[in-house]
Amino acid sequence: MQHCTNHLLPWALLVTAPWIFTGCDDELPAPPTDIVVPDVCTILCGDEDVTTTPDPGSPQVDTVRIDKDQCDLDWSFVNTSGGAPSHPLVDDTGIATIVAGSTLTRVTPDGTNATATCTAPFTSPGEILSTPAQARTGVFFLGTLSGKLLSVSAQCESRWNAPLDLYASACKLNSTSPLCNAVGAEIREAPALHNDDTIFVLDTRPALHRINDLGTQGDYKWPHLTEDTEPLPDAAPIYVGTSDPFVAFPTRKTVVAVNATGSRRWLYKEPLDSDTNQMVVSPLAVDSDGAVLFVVGDVKADHFENLYLVKLLPNGTPSKAAIVAPGYPIAFPSVISLDTVHGLALGSDNSVYVGMALNGLMRMSAQGDVLWKFIGDEESLRVSSVPAVADDGSVFITAEPHLVYGIDKDGNRIFRYEPPAGGELETTSPVIRNDGSILV
C-alpha cells in the first residue's frame, strides 16, 4: 500500500460509494492466482502549478502534461503474511487497515505496524477476499470465501463468539429456504453498513443478507434472493440513506433495491432492448438525491459495446419496477465504441467519473454531458480502479500495469507516479486521507 501527500490542494477524504483505494509494488490488473505480498507506500507530491485551463464547453483529451513527475515515495509497508490483498481502509485517525489472505493488519500514518492499536494481526478461520467495512466505532465486518461473516474490534480481536454462517442462519430462520440445501456462497465484496450495527452482506449466489450486531454475536434477520443467478464481480451493495433508506445491489442482468425489512422496493431488469444482450457492466454509485447510477452495455468478446449511463430514482412504481430518471439512459460518446468500466465515482456536484479499461478516465456532468476525457501519456491509459474523488473535484486513479495518476477537476494531469524499478500495483482505487495524503 502506498501513501501520497500533495501540496497543491487541500484534499479531504470523500466517502461516498464503497471505499476508494489502491495497491503498490505488486501486480494490479487481474485477480491474483499466486500468493502476493501487498505493499503500503506513501507518495509525496510537489508544488508545480497547472497553467493551462481547458475550455469546459467541449471534451478535453489529456490537455496539459507536466513533464516533472511530482510524487516521490515517502514510505512503504510490506505485509509478510501473504495472500491475495483486498482494498485498504483508512479511519479518521489516519490508521490504515489491509487484509491479505486470512490476515487483517493495521498500519500507522507513518507507515509502521500499529502495534499500539493491535498487538498482533487478526487471523481469520477462512480466507478473506472481501474488503472489510468499518463502523464509526472502529469495528470491522468482513466475509470469508466459505460464506461466514466475522466481526473484529479496532484492536484486531474477534468480537463475536463464533463466525456467523449465513446460509445455516437463513435455514434456521426458515427451514424451507432454498439456502438450506446449498453450500455457503463466497463473500467477495465489502458489506454495507447502517448506524454501525446493521450489516448488509452480498454473496456470489447472489443473495443479500441482513445481520444486526449484538456485540458478542450476529443476529441474522433475513435473506433477499434474486431471480438473476449471475453475480457482478467487484460490485458491492450500497446503503442509500435517504429519508426512506434502502440497500441496492447489482447482478449481471438486474439492479435490485431492498427495504430494511427485506422486501423488494424496486427491480431494474436488462436488457433495455430485446434485440441486444445488454448487461450491467459497472459497480453502483449514488448521488446526493439518492438516485442510483451505473453503466450497461452489450457483450462483445472480452469487453462491452453500446455503453449507456443509467440513473434510477430512489422510489419505484407501485408494481415495484424501477423508474429511470428523465433524460436517461445516456449513450457514451461514439469514440468509446468498446470498453470495460472498472468503476464509477461521483463528485460533490454529482458529476460522474468513469474509469475504463481502454479509454482512460471520463468526467460527465450531472446532466450527462461529457466534460473531458483523460487518456494518459504514451501508455494509452488503462484504468483499473474506482476513481478516488477529492472534495475539490481532483481525482486519483491506478492504471495498468504500475501507474498512479492525479488529475485536476478540468482534466489536467497533476502527477504521474510509477513505483521504483517497475514495481506493479496489486489492489485498486486510491484512498485520500484527511491530511491530503494518498494511499495506494
Side-chain angles (χ1 to χ4, degrees):
M1 197 163 73
Q2 289 199 358
H3 161 208
C4 170
T5 301
N6 193 301
H7 305 295
L8 282 170
L9 297 165
W11 288 313
L13 178 65
L14 179 72
V15 185
T16 316
W19 296 95
I20 35 191
F21 316 97
T22 45
C24 168
D25 285 351
D26 305 303
E27 300 176 356
L28 183 143
T33 55
D34 300 316
I35 291 179
V36 296
V37 180
D39 178 26
V40 187
C41 7
T42 304
I43 312 165
L44 295 178
C45 308
D47 299 324
E48 284 74 10
D49 292 325
V50 175
T51 57
T52 303
T53 301
D55 174 13
S58 59
Q60 300 295 320
V61 178
D62 205 14
T63 53
V64 174
R65 178 178 173 184
I66 301 172
D67 292 330
K68 183 180 184 299
D69 287 334
Q70 296 181 36
C71 286
D72 298 312
L73 181 65
D74 184 25
W75 55 257
S76 178
F77 176 87
V78 177
N79 182 352
T80 58
S81 62
S86 72
H87 301 309
L89 292 174
V90 179
D91 65 20
D92 289 341
T93 67
I95 294 179
T97 301
I98 53 176
V99 171
S102 59
T103 302
L104 181 148
T105 304
R106 308 201 71 194
V107 183
T108 66
D110 60 2
T112 60
N113 202 321
T115 53
T117 301
C118 295
T119 55
F122 169 78
T123 301
S124 162
E127 186 174 7
I128 305 166
L129 285 185
S130 71
T131 299
Q134 187 176 20
R136 290 167 295 182
T137 57
V139 170
F140 297 96
F141 300 98
L142 59 164
T144 70
L145 293 185
S146 58
K148 295 180 174 63
L149 183 67
L150 312 174
S151 178
V152 180
S153 71
Q155 292 72 41
C156 301
E157 298 173 347
S158 180
R159 295 177 64 247
W160 291 349
N161 297 328
L164 185 68
D165 186 314
L166 299 185
Y167 279 25
S169 299
C171 188
K172 184 177 180 180
L173 194 67
N174 177 7
S175 61
T176 63
S177 170
L179 303 183
C180 289
N181 299 318
V183 176
E186 297 177 348
I187 302 171
R188 290 178 170 264
E189 312 300 340
L193 300 182
H194 170 57
N195 283 347
D196 296 329
D197 60 0
T198 304
I199 310 110
F200 299 95
V201 180
L202 182 65
D203 65 31
T204 55
R205 185 187 188 270
L208 182 73
H209 308 262
R210 174 179 168 171
I211 301 94
N212 289 356
D213 177 26
L214 301 183
T216 58
Q217 66 183 29
D219 179 25
Y220 189 92
K221 305 305 290 185
W222 48 254
H224 184 95
L225 309 183
T226 66
E227 52 190 72
D228 183 12
T229 58
E230 185 177 1
L232 181 64
D234 302 319
I238 58 172
Y239 178 81
V240 184
T242 60
S243 57
D244 186 14
F246 61 95
V247 179
F249 65 94
T251 68
R252 271 299 184 195
K253 286 285 189 179
T254 69
V255 176
V256 187
V258 182
N259 295 311
T261 59
S263 63
R264 178 177 295 170
R265 172 175 294 210
W266 48 252
L267 173 68
Y268 176 88
K269 300 177 68 171
E270 286 296 338
L272 292 174
D273 184 335
S274 59
D275 295 330
T276 68
N277 187 26
Q278 208 161 52
M279 293 185 174
V280 179
V281 301
S282 80
L284 306 182
V286 57
D287 71 11
S288 59
D289 296 321
V292 176
L293 294 96
F294 54 95
V295 177
V296 298
D298 299 331
V299 178
K300 180 75 171 181
D302 294 333
H303 296 285
F304 300 90
E305 60 183 0
N306 301 325
L307 295 168
Y308 288 84
L309 179 67
V310 180
K311 180 177 180 179
L312 305 180
L313 300 181
N315 294 313
T317 68
S319 60
K320 298 184 179 181
I323 300 175
V324 178
Y328 286 81
I330 295 173
F332 275 32
S334 58
V335 294
I336 304 177
S337 58
L338 186 71
D339 216 324
T340 295
V341 176
H342 283 301
L344 296 182
L346 298 186
S348 58
D349 61 352
N350 284 331
S351 59
V352 184
Y353 296 81
V354 185
M356 297 170 285
L358 304 179
N359 285 276
L361 179 71
M362 178 173 64
R363 183 185 180 195
M364 304 173 72
S365 71
Q367 293 72 42
D369 300 319
V370 177
L371 300 178
W372 48 259
K373 186 161 75 75
F374 181 87
I375 58 173
D377 299 323
E378 302 86 359
E379 55 275 317
S380 184
L381 194 66
R382 294 172 291 160
V383 177
S384 54
S385 70
V386 176
V389 185
D391 58 355
D392 70 339
S394 301
V395 61
F396 303 90
I397 53 174
T398 53
E400 297 178 12
H402 47 242
L403 300 169
V404 182
Y405 272 95
I407 302 142
D408 72 16
K409 63 182 179 62
D410 297 315
N412 305 314
R413 193 184 88 174
I414 302 171
F415 70 83
R416 172 184 179 274
Y417 173 77
E418 184 172 354
E424 294 187 353
L425 304 173
E426 177 58 47
T427 54
T428 60
S429 309
V431 180
I432 310 166
R433 295 201 314 190
N434 285 336
D435 62 359
S437 58
I438 304 165
L439 294 180
V440 294

